[in-house]
Amino acid sequence: MIPKGAFLKVVDNSGAKLAQVIGSYGHIGQFAGIGNVVKVAIKEAKGDKVPAGTMKKAVIVETKYPTHRKNGSHFQYMRNSCVLLSDKGTPVGNRIRSLLSYEFFKPRWKRLSVLGKRMF
Amino acid sequence: MRLEKCWFCSSTIYPGHGIAFVRNDATVFRFCRSKCHKNFKMKRNPRKVRWTKAYRKLAGKELAEDATFELERRRNRPEKYDREVVTKTVKAMQRIEQIRVRRQERFYEKRMQNAKAQQKAADKAQLEKEIHLIKAPAGIRKEKEKLRVAAEERMQE
């Protein structure tokens, strides 16, 4: 349940640390959830690959608000985080510090899912 | 479909129930209901919370180690589907359940063996001490009188 203006922790090794949601892509509505692509502004960054102040696309990978699966189960994480994407939709970093959920098993996120170790 | 165990109370989590919590170090905690989830958030240790299976097994109130628990252990190698294996497994599950229930009942009986005698002794002591709660003082006096007379008669003989 990530609204516009929310701060997300960046969990890949692109260099960025904190990103703020400034918009969404597609018909998401008021809140974005796991698997939604959002437009973010990088607030804190380490290094030069993605400097602070730039705008990028990102996909939300963890939310504190419970995500509902069609089999009836719910799961939640400890924080809200995202992974930065390029304009085309491919991940910027090459390692992800997060346990991805099966929402990223879809072929759309093939590039992203191989960066993690296993899926929950 | 997989039936998980609640991390806190060890009961089975059926589909559609409970919440899974993923911690930052990628450990997944599954809870059967919000009671267990809230206790976890309070940082309570299930081994010290009396109504959980973890406490009961640790305190020796329930069967902890037994061969019947072997079948339920999690295996991470998927088996190739074989119809005979499946039917045999289902039958084995039912049979093992019977045996396990019987063993648990026997464990409970053994644990409660001395309970009946203890309870009886406690009841007897209470009766002698607090008879005044049931009988009226006059009635008690009359009974004592009767006993005294009978004892005197016995002594005279």
Side-chain angles (χ1 to χ4, degrees):
Chain A
M1 205 133 164
I2 312 285
K4 194 155 82 167
F7 284 91
L8 304 171
K9 183 168 157 57
V10 181
V11 288
D12 56 10
N13 60 351
S14 60
K17 293 251 189 82
L18 202 65
Q20 187 178 24
V21 178
I22 50 180
S24 56
Y25 290 97
H27 263 293
I28 287 180
Q30 288 212 328
F31 306 106
I34 291 188
N36 292 135
V37 178
V38 292
K39 185 166 193 171
V40 298
I42 312 292
K43 289 292 181 183
E44 275 173 32
K46 188 171 130 174
D48 290 326
K49 196 149 78 159
V50 182
T54 46
M55 294 193 292
K56 268 224 165 326
K57 279 191 187 178
V59 63
I60 296 175
V61 297
E62 291 176 349
T63 51
K64 268 188 182 173
Y65 187 77
T67 309
H68 171 76
R69 281 197 177 141
K70 288 297 182 192
N71 66 4
S73 56
H74 294 80
F75 60 96
Q76 59 184 111
Y77 291 84
M78 254 175 121
R79 60 193 178 186
N80 301 314
S81 56
C82 66
V83 166
L84 296 183
L85 305 173
S86 67
D87 273 339
K88 277 249 174 95
T90 52
V92 171
N94 49 16
R95 214 183 302 156
I96 293 187
R97 288 198 135 262
S98 154
L99 182 60
L100 294 174
S101 54
Y102 269 107
E103 272 66 11
F104 296 99
F105 195 64
K106 302 180 183 161
R108 177 186 185 186
W109 300 116
K110 190 70 184 280
R111 290 268 180 106
L112 191 68
S113 56
V114 298
L115 298 179
K117 216 189 325 183
R118 60 184 168 100
M119 286 195 153
F120 154 68
Chain B
M1 179 185 66
R2 174 161 217 133
L3 296 180
E4 307 278 352
K5 292 275 177 194
C6 174
W7 185 85
F8 199 82
C9 65
S10 317
S11 60
T12 25
I13 307 177
Y14 284 90
H17 288 262
I19 265 205
F21 169 62
V22 185
R23 208 164 55 177
N24 282 345
D25 60 354
T27 33
V28 180
F29 297 90
R30 290 179 200 273
F31 305 106
C32 60
R33 55 197 197 274
S34 65
K35 176 180 184 180
C36 304
H37 189 32
K38 285 182 183 156
N39 270 291
F40 173 79
K41 284 198 270 192
M42 267 195 264
K43 299 194 172 177
R44 286 204 180 145
N45 186 357
R47 282 161 173 251
K48 295 205 168 170
V49 178
R50 294 191 145 231
W51 49 271
T52 58
K53 284 279 191 226
Y55 171 88
R56 306 207 84 219
K57 299 214 165 166
L58 199 70
K61 307 227 177 247
E62 269 187 15
L63 204 58
E65 277 174 31
D66 196 41
T68 47
F69 293 136
E70 286 296 314
L71 186 73
E72 272 192 61
R73 295 223 192 283
R74 188 185 182 119
R75 291 161 191 80
N76 284 322
R77 290 172 81 203
E79 298 270 338
K80 186 169 179 185
Y81 177 78
D82 184 2
R83 182 185 274 187
E84 271 111 57
V85 172
V86 171
T87 39
K88 271 198 201 153
T89 312
V90 170
K91 280 204 196 123
M93 278 163 68
Q94 291 170 340
R95 179 80 184 117
I96 288 177
E97 178 72 24
Q98 276 178 3
I99 299 174
R100 183 164 56 85
V101 166
R102 220 172 346 119
R103 286 192 189 175
Q104 266 176 353
E105 282 179 1
R106 219 182 298 151
F107 187 86
Y108 179 78
E109 276 167 26
K110 210 171 169 200
R111 188 162 72 86
M112 297 300 204
Q113 240 171 19
N114 302 323
K116 231 179 177 182
Q118 261 182 15
Q119 185 68 17
K120 208 164 179 190
D123 283 344
K124 200 166 177 201
Q126 192 191 27
L127 197 66
E128 286 176 1
K129 239 202 216 171
E130 298 172 8
I131 193 77
H132 61 278
L133 293 174
I134 318 176
K135 292 204 166 125
I140 300 174
R141 246 181 287 134
K142 225 194 279 182
E143 274 198 16
K144 279 209 177 135
E145 205 41 55
K146 253 196 257 177
L147 285 173
R148 200 168 53 81
V149 167
E152 278 179 10
E153 280 178 2
R154 246 184 282 133
M155 274 179 53
Q156 280 175 3
E157 283 165 17

